[in-house]
Amino acid sequence: MPDTEIKASPTTTKEAVLATAKKMLADGLVEGTSGNISGRLEGGLVCLSPSSVPYDTMTLDDLVVCDLDGNVVEGERGPTSEKDLHLAALRLYPELGCVIHTHAVYATMFALAHEPIPAVIEEVVVYIGGDVPCCEYKGTGSVELGDEVAKHLADRGAALLANHGLVTCASSPEKAIHNAALVERTAKIVWGTRAMGGTIHPLPDKVNRNMAGVYKFIRENP
């Protein structure tokens, strides 16, 4: 199906995955063929972006459908080489409907420093659940990386991949990319505050506790 036939308001998970993949590129969260996205389908299946296909030319026919063990059941292309990054989280957390991996510049700066992005803005606690943790380094595309990331997404909507990039998750592609944009914006704000010599003041503990409860509710009641 040509790109021009993709509806402005996607009506299927596959359409939402494709539209979100293109938005990742348009918003500067990825370049070329970097990053990847998945969307949960019915019947224990997952729609994944393909390996090494540019986002600007990607069509619905390029998307790949796998089961939760990574076996391809539909599609002519191979799935992203980082499929385990997606499948590990989707297997563990049935409330999740989408996982996105981006190379967002400011978030990746924190990933290079192996430093969490602090939840110093209220909406980060609401939509992400708290600080964005940095995972231990594991090889790109490995099962070990998938397991490491999934562990950190138990109570968070985002995690950093050490020396690599950012992963976000949510109940839908639209919400997952919202989380990616929010984390990148927060990373830029924190970086800028430090660059100007300012002090990062944490939110009060009570605010963190209360809003973390809001995140839990949003995650479990999409």
Side-chain angles (χ1 to χ4, degrees):
M1 179 182 293
D3 297 344
T4 54
E5 295 183 30
I6 300 300
K7 300 177 178 61
S9 298
T11 58
T12 70
T13 298
K14 285 186 178 181
E15 287 179 341
V17 165
L18 180 60
T20 302
K22 291 179 180 292
K23 184 170 175 56
M24 287 161 53
L25 178 66
D27 290 354
L29 298 174
V30 294
E31 289 187 12
T33 62
S34 67
N36 29 75
I37 178 173
S38 63
R40 189 189 297 275
L41 304 175
E42 294 181 354
L45 300 178
V46 178
C47 173
L48 290 155
S49 55
S51 176
S52 303
V53 176
Y55 294 104
D56 55 354
T57 61
M58 192 180 295
T59 71
L60 286 175
D61 290 337
D62 291 318
L63 300 180
V64 184
V65 176
C66 295
D67 62 23
L68 285 169
D69 293 321
N71 301 304
V72 175
V73 300
E74 180 184 319
E76 299 299 320
R77 298 187 180 275
T80 169
S81 61
E82 296 180 299
K83 65 181 184 296
D84 290 304
L85 191 69
H86 301 260
L87 299 178
L90 294 172
R91 281 194 299 264
L92 277 177
Y93 311 118
E95 72 275 15
L96 297 182
C98 177
V99 176
I100 290 177
H101 166 45
T102 73
H103 292 178
V105 173
Y106 286 88
T108 302
M109 289 164 59
F110 280 81
L112 292 180
H114 293 200
E115 182 180 339
I117 300 171
V120 288
I121 301 172
E122 292 175 347
E123 60 182 325
V124 177
V125 189
V126 170
Y127 291 107
I128 306 300
D131 294 354
V132 180
C134 186
C135 302
E136 291 186 12
Y137 179 82
K138 304 292 180 182
T140 300
S142 66
V143 172
E144 292 77 15
L145 178 61
D147 292 341
E148 172 70 10
V149 173
K151 177 176 68 177
H152 285 82
L153 296 178
D155 60 352
R156 290 291 188 276
L160 296 171
L161 307 182
N163 299 84
H164 191 157
L166 171 68
V167 169
T168 60
C169 62
S171 59
S172 69
E174 295 87 351
K175 292 179 180 179
I177 197 168
H178 165 270
N179 287 351
L182 173 59
V183 171
E184 174 68 349
R185 176 175 175 269
T186 303
K188 185 175 183 179
I189 290 170
V190 172
W191 178 87
T193 302
R194 290 174 176 172
M196 63 184 280
T199 300
I200 304 294
H201 297 281
L203 291 169
D205 289 342
K206 182 178 180 181
V207 172
N208 277 315
R209 288 194 302 270
N210 292 344
M211 290 190 174
V214 174
Y215 169 73
K216 186 173 187 296
F217 178 83
I218 290 174
R219 175 163 169 154
E220 296 177 354
N221 299 273

